[in-house]
Each structure stands twice: as structure tokens, then as C-alpha cells.
Amino acid sequence: MTLGALALFAITLFVAAGSPGPSVAALVARVLARGHRDVLPFLAAMWLGEALWLTLAVFGLAAVATAFHGVFVAIKWAGVAYLVWLAWKMWFARTEPAGADLPQASSGWKMFLTGISITIGNPKIMMFYVALLPTILDLASVTLVGWLELTVTLLLVLAVVDLAWVFLAARARRLLKSPRAMKIANRLSAGMIGGAAVAIAMR
């Protein structure tokens, strides 16, 4: 891959990833409600899911993804159902002072599976890699080394964008000290997660 092609891919991905969507909404809501310390599995799943879509696009497997459309639809609705459940729990969660115990490490797999289902089942992400990416890159000429370069670029861009969202949400959470503020934050987070579920379901 030339530096120009990688730069074009990075800029386009930065704009697409930086625009608020279901994944960003779920990420920010989680950080607002529970802090940033346990979101790494969620982030890792989001990045892995996007790398999978990139791989499908680069190696011409979009047709395979289309052939197994039902599988992706099932993943999508599983993700929607889980987000709705999370929103329900968050809406009625008891208020806790800042610094309260975070979820145990055993919740990491749930966070990972949630991130995967949101990313793989998100039509916005799918359309970026299947429809938009071929218009900015000649995917037919991408070699294995080129795919690796694109993947590394993708991970770097997503890390910058998503960690920026985590940082901003974590800073906002520090302002929430009183039980009333925590209740408002829980309700806002529930609304954002519910909105993410609706956004995914409507596409």
C-alpha cells in the first residue's frame, strides 16, 4: 500500500468512526455508568469486528457475508435484545457514589460479546467496508502485506477515536458526585443504550 492510499483510508475511517453511532453510544453510556476500567473487552471486540469486516472486503468475501445474511441478522437481533436488557437494568439501577465497586472481571466476556454483536450487526459499519471502501481503494490489488498495513492502520485509527470517546466520558463521569447526579447519569446512559438498540434495529 502507498502512503497516499493508507492516508486516504485512515482519514475516511477517522470520519466514519468518529461520527456518533450505536457503537459509540453504547461505549459512552457504559463509561458514564460504570467507569472506564472495564471497557477494554468491549473495545477489543469492536476493533476485532471492524478488522473482520475489513478482511471480508479485502479478500472478496462480501458475497459470503451476503450468503450468510441470516446469521448476521441473528447476531444483530441478539445484540439489540442485550442492549435493551442493559438499558432496562441501568434505568432502574440504584444510585452509587463515585468510586463504588465496578463489575467483577467475569463480566469481561459479556462485554466482549456485546461489542462483537454490535459491530458485526451494525449496518453502518457493514456498509462502510462493503460499499464505501471499494470506492476509495482498489481492493483487487491489495496483497497480504497490504491487508496487514490496512489492518494496523485501522487499529491505530480506531484506538485514537474510541479512546478519545472513553476519555471524554470518563471526565464527564467525574463530575457526577451526588446520588441525584448518578441517577441522571444512569437514566441518560440507559437512554443512549436504548437508542443504540433502536438505531441498530431500524436499519
Side-chain angles (χ1 to χ4, degrees):
M1 298 295 298
T2 65
L3 288 178
L6 287 175
L8 179 60
F9 170 68
I11 292 170
T12 308
L13 178 62
F14 183 86
V15 173
S19 60
S23 299
V24 170
L27 175 63
V28 170
R30 180 66 185 192
V31 175
L32 285 175
R34 295 292 182 183
H36 66 281
R37 297 181 184 177
D38 65 339
V39 296
L40 184 57
F42 187 86
L43 287 172
M46 288 172 57
W47 301 340
L48 179 62
E50 297 223 21
L52 174 61
W53 276 119
L54 174 65
T55 302
L56 289 174
V58 167
F59 292 107
L61 299 179
V64 175
T66 302
F68 289 93
H69 177 69
V71 175
F72 289 97
V73 170
I75 293 173
K76 166 185 171 178
W77 286 107
V80 168
Y82 187 66
L83 287 177
V84 170
W85 180 74
L86 284 179
W88 175 268
K89 284 191 65 178
M90 202 167 290
W91 184 273
F92 293 103
R94 64 185 181 88
T95 58
E96 297 175 346
D101 291 339
L102 295 173
Q104 299 299 314
S106 60
S107 66
W109 275 109
K110 292 181 180 179
M111 294 288 290
F112 183 85
L113 293 176
T114 302
I116 281 288
S117 65
I118 290 175
T119 305
I120 292 180
N122 187 349
K124 173 189 172 185
I125 296 174
M126 177 183 69
M127 292 305 295
F128 173 80
Y129 291 104
V130 175
L132 180 60
L133 189 60
T135 67
I136 62 176
L137 293 176
D138 181 11
L139 297 179
S141 64
V142 176
T143 63
L144 184 61
V145 174
W147 165 79
L148 182 59
E149 292 170 342
L150 286 171
T151 302
V152 171
T153 302
L154 174 142
L155 293 175
L156 290 175
V157 170
L158 292 181
V160 169
V161 172
D162 293 335
L163 291 176
W165 280 112
V166 170
F167 174 77
L168 292 173
R171 289 293 297 271
R173 187 174 188 269
R174 291 194 186 99
L175 301 176
L176 307 174
K177 300 294 184 180
S178 68
R180 176 179 173 80
M182 288 299 296
K183 183 175 182 179
I184 292 173
N186 284 343
R187 295 287 172 87
L188 286 175
S189 298
M192 292 175 68
I193 289 180
V198 171
I200 293 174
M202 292 292 288
R203 296 183 181 182

